[in-house]
Amino acid sequence: MTNDSGSEPANVRWHKALEQDELPEGRVTAVTCGGTTVCMTHFDGQYAAIDNACPHQGGPLGEGSIENGLLRCPWHGWDFDPLTGQSPGDHDDCTLVYAVEEREDGIYVGFPADEPRERTVSDVMVETMTAWGVSQVWGIVGHSNLGLADAFREAASRDELAYYGVRHEGAAAFAASAYGKLTGEPAACFAIAGPGATNLLTGLWDANVDRAPVLALTGQVQTQVLGTGNFQEVDLEAAYGDVALFEQTVLPSSDHAELMTRSVKTAILEGGVSHLVFPDEVQTIPAKAAEAGSPQGRLTRRDISPPEESLRDAVDLLAAAERPLVIVGHGARFHMEGVVEFAERLDCPVVTTFKAKGQISDSHPLAGGVLGRSGTPVASHFMNESDLLVVFGASFSNHTGISEYKPIVHVDRDPMVLGKHHSVDVPVWGDVGVTVDTFSDRLDQKGTTAESQRGELAERWEIWRAEKETRRAQDPDRGINYATVFDAMSRLVPENAILPVDVGNNTYAFGRYFECVDQTVLMSGYLGSIGFAFPAALGAWAATQEADSPQADRPVVSVSSDGGFGQYMGELTTAVKYDMDLTHVLLTDDELGKISKEQRDGGWPVWQTDLVNPNFASFAENCGALGVRVESPSTLDAALEEAFSYDGPALVEIVTDSNPV
């Protein structure tokens, strides 16, 4: 870069930009040298290197052309001398010109010595975020979030976070939501202004309704043009108003560390989405001396005990029950050891909501399987025969079908969930772990009248497993029936796998036929969004890479049908890019089978539910993953075993019919 006197500054860094004769006379091109992009020109037998950004509106001069002896900006036609960068006539918007040397081996450009990178507002906020334990970010880098992206890059270089670039922002939000459901801790998703930010919304609603902590970080247009209908301007605070528990636009004068602290704290304590909007120019405001925030002294313990009256009333019902039934929801997932010990004290069955499938092993002598539309006749039998329902961390979804007319003790840490849809006999507000331990202690003192139901449970499982064997023997309309698929998976999926599942007939069949050992199931519960499974597998895999996490090194096996996978199939390249060791089991029936069934059941003609699919196994191979296609039960086990043992992303496409029975 030349100074006012035209002399070359000291400490120049030289970078080779072009080979000799690479750029023809009269032409221009953009070249990146050591992180700086310049416009290289070849005019009148000389080479020049000009700042690539037009001073008018940043147009890329390297994509322009030389016309009538002048370098013309491709955006707005601004002209510059192709060798000096000067504007013709009286205009004074000249551009920077760098030193150039022609050497035997090519054309070199000289740049000033690097200056230390300046700490910014984005750095302060990312440092605060990582101090609060947010170490996973999913998103797409774009023009209105580059300052924040560079702060992520800096944090990643210090091994303080892992960043995953996805193909669609919806996948980023689903991955973050799944991570929150699995770990109870927040991950972040990241997007540009406008369409990037709006693409996050479906996954964020999934997190919102399932109470998963997620941090949404979106770019925005510059503050000086907010409200003027600028390119890609969307009123993001309005767009996110109902989905976010906490939301704020980051301003130049904001307390930046405190904003991030409030965002992460809200996501953790209230279980849901926090959203921060980053106007473009605010992201790079210098903040050399600003202190980052931390959770020190900002979080209280949350293992609260219920009110004494609630405990006393609940224990009275428990002591008097002869056939109690324990029902666990997703909210009890971190307290299952105490819940199982409590059930063993009563010798009573434990059934789960669909979202809580796998929280107790189906091989446990007190396990009763899943209750509700996606459940087993074992679970429904014991609910019907019970005289008390003891419900931990469930929200009484109509899909679960918990009987309202039974006596109910309901325990949850959120008082709004208690009696959410109808009255219950004893609503108990408290931490599930503390409450169930207190129940056990008091029953030890008070005694119970509960009869053992273990023998009856074994009988009901024997009946149901015989029925499943009969269904496996039925000939499907094509390919392999669901009962056979999930029998093979029950035998072959690693016992400690994480299992993200989708929606539709494949998921109903999974709930009914797959028997869990020590697996963790993830799903889009209250939102019930198609396409959840594979992006969720990406988020789950990220959790398994954290060395100090309970999820470390666990296998990940996701399940969907072709309808769901088709929505985010591009993310298979994301799995390949980051060498994610996971397996996706894809049940292909070439239609939206559940919708076809609903049309038939409702008396409607089946219409527009058919799908045109590629060979998904070949698609996986084209993406760089392992792809295996299964059309016969005889090759099913071998295909699953090959995929589970493969070191990297794998897809097993299984041709099925659309009948979930």
Side-chain angles (χ1 to χ4, degrees), residues 227-273:
T228 63
N230 201 54
F231 175 69
Q232 290 194 333
E233 181 188 358
V234 171
D235 185 347
L236 293 179
E237 288 196 28
Y240 278 61
D242 288 337
V243 78
L245 300 171
F246 177 85
E247 180 174 39
Q248 182 60 50
T249 296
V250 182
L251 302 175
S253 59
S254 295
D255 185 339
H256 301 110
E258 182 59 23
L259 273 187
M260 182 59 77
T261 288
R262 191 68 60 88
S263 298
V264 183
K265 182 177 180 179
T266 301
I268 292 171
L269 293 183
E270 298 188 25
V273 177

Side-chain angles (χ1 to χ4, degrees), residues 61 79 175 208 216 241 270 316 348 426 436 441 463 495 515 661:
L61 295 179
D79 290 331
N208 175 293
E270 298 188 25
D316 285 345
C348 73
V426 184
V436 73
D441 291 342
I463 293 169
E495 291 186 356
E515 294 191 19
V661 176

Side-chain angles (χ1 to χ4, degrees), residues 428-630:
V428 183
W429 178 33
D431 175 81
V432 170
V434 172
T435 304
V436 73
D437 288 346
T438 304
F439 284 173
S440 294
D441 291 342
R442 296 201 178 187
L443 285 176
D444 285 341
Q445 300 170 18
K446 193 177 184 70
T448 69
T449 59
E451 61 186 49
S452 175
Q453 300 176 65
R454 287 177 185 246
E456 189 177 351
L457 268 162
E459 292 173 1
R460 301 306 304 188
W461 272 109
E462 186 176 350
I463 293 169
W464 173 230
R465 286 171 178 145
E467 173 63 22
K468 290 200 292 183
E469 184 177 357
T470 300
R471 296 183 185 186
R472 291 196 297 273
Q474 293 177 354
D475 291 330
D477 293 336
R478 64 170 216 169
I480 307 170
N481 62 39
Y482 283 124
T484 299
V485 170
F486 289 115
D487 173 68
M489 290 188 66
S490 296
R491 291 184 283 104
L492 299 175
V493 169
E495 291 186 356
N496 66 334
I498 302 167
L499 293 170
V501 299
D502 218 86
V503 300
N505 280 344
N506 68 97
T507 315
Y508 279 93
F510 171 84
R512 192 168 296 142
Y513 295 127
F514 184 84
E515 294 191 19
C516 288
V517 182
D518 194 27
Q519 293 98 351
T520 299
V521 178
L522 300 175
M523 66 182 64
S524 178
Y526 264 100
L527 191 65
S529 177
I530 192 172
F532 171 84
F534 193 71
L538 308 184
W541 179 87
T544 70
Q545 303 308 293
E546 298 172 339
D548 58 347
S549 167
Q551 318 307 328
D553 299 323
R554 296 181 66 184
V556 178
V557 180
S558 51
V559 183
S560 78
S561 66
D562 43 359
F565 183 71
Q567 296 211 349
Y568 290 104
M569 58 194 292
E571 299 304 335
L572 191 56
T573 61
T574 304
V576 171
K577 176 180 179 180
Y578 296 102
D579 194 24
M580 297 180 177
D581 187 9
L582 53 82
T583 299
H584 187 71
V585 178
L586 175 59
L587 308 183
T588 302
D589 58 13
D590 296 324
E591 68 175 304
L592 300 173
K594 182 175 181 295
I595 307 306
S596 299
K597 181 177 185 298
E598 289 179 356
Q599 288 176 331
R600 286 191 293 268
D601 291 347
W604 305 94
V606 174
W607 186 69
Q608 290 292 346
T609 58
D610 58 307
L611 300 173
V612 175
N613 287 320
N615 181 307
F616 287 106
S618 297
F619 169 77
E621 293 284 335
N622 286 339
C623 290
L626 172 69
V628 185
R629 183 176 169 93
V630 181

